[in-house]
Amino acid sequence: MSSTYLDIKSVNYLINAITPDSLEGPVQSAWANILGKGRFFNEDSYAIETNRQRETQYPDVIVIQIIEFPAGIAPVDILMVECKRPRRNATVWHFDELANAQLDCQLTETPNASGFVFGAAAIGREVRFYEKFDKQEPVPLHNGVYDILTNARDVEWWLDYMMRTGPRW
């Protein structure tokens, strides 16, 4: 059986530290570590940025890919994760509202020449993944939401999909 980010002790700890009363900080830490120590850790051309490394209007966690172009090297946004504190009884509507209200603006501002980027709306331990192309609204990639603790394999599958698909040039 293949491993997931839950097999990394520090990532598992951070996910389990998210409680119903948590603020956004633990959610941001969990996602930075899921991406930085988990899926994208051994990938040489990927890096993880947080909104502390960019201007504050950017999402909480960003996966960038360093791509070589004829004119030189450039970072390209692959995945932008907007994190919010846990919300009791959050529905798909809450995730879509977050994607359309806040993540949409951030995804539109991406410097990708392709105009394509993936997004994730994370509310507490739950997440919903999206894709966006140019001026379109974010489109959900799947039905429902995933709990990052109980649906780790599904979350990993979508992260792998994003790596395989990457920006569309």
Side-chain angles (χ1 to χ4, degrees):
M1 199 173 251
S2 64
S3 63
T4 69
Y5 53 78
L6 292 176
D7 295 321
I8 303 167
K9 190 185 307 185
S10 59
V11 175
N12 193 312
Y13 170 81
L14 290 169
I15 292 170
N16 277 292
I18 299 171
T19 68
D21 298 320
S22 292
L23 298 177
E24 287 181 20
V27 180
Q28 294 168 351
S29 293
W31 272 101
N33 282 275
I34 286 170
L35 298 170
K37 290 185 175 183
R39 184 62 201 104
F40 296 94
F41 178 69
N42 289 321
E43 302 295 332
D44 185 45
S45 65
Y46 291 92
I48 308 302
E49 291 186 343
T50 64
N51 64 1
R52 289 181 189 90
Q53 294 167 296
R54 291 192 180 188
E55 297 175 27
T56 55
Q57 75 266 17
Y58 273 86
D60 298 303
V61 185
I62 305 159
V63 176
I64 61 170
Q65 184 177 14
I66 308 304
I67 297 182
E68 291 187 47
F69 295 99
I73 335 178
V76 176
D77 296 336
I78 300 296
L79 170 63
M80 297 181 164
V81 183
E82 182 62 34
C83 302
K84 295 296 177 194
R85 65 186 302 161
R87 179 185 179 109
R88 287 176 176 80
N89 303 317
T91 65
V92 169
W93 180 86
H94 293 103
F95 290 86
D96 291 346
E97 185 68 18
L98 176 59
N100 289 320
Q102 193 163 1
L103 197 55
D104 181 41
C105 178
Q106 296 160 344
L107 295 172
T108 301
E109 307 256 333
T110 183
N112 290 6
S114 68
F116 179 83
V117 69
F118 291 107
I123 301 175
R125 288 192 340 202
E126 296 179 313
V127 65
R128 184 164 165 95
F129 295 110
Y130 300 84
E131 65 181 0
K132 179 174 174 59
F133 188 76
D134 283 336
K135 306 292 183 215
Q136 298 174 350
E137 289 185 358
V139 176
L141 289 171
H142 54 86
N143 294 324
V145 298
Y146 293 118
D147 183 302
I148 59 176
L149 186 61
T150 59
N151 303 115
R153 292 206 188 288
D154 295 313
V155 171
E156 289 269 351
W157 189 93
W158 282 108
L159 295 175
D160 286 341
Y161 170 80
M162 292 173 205
M163 281 185 70
R164 288 189 316 270
T165 307
R168 297 185 181 142
W169 303 107

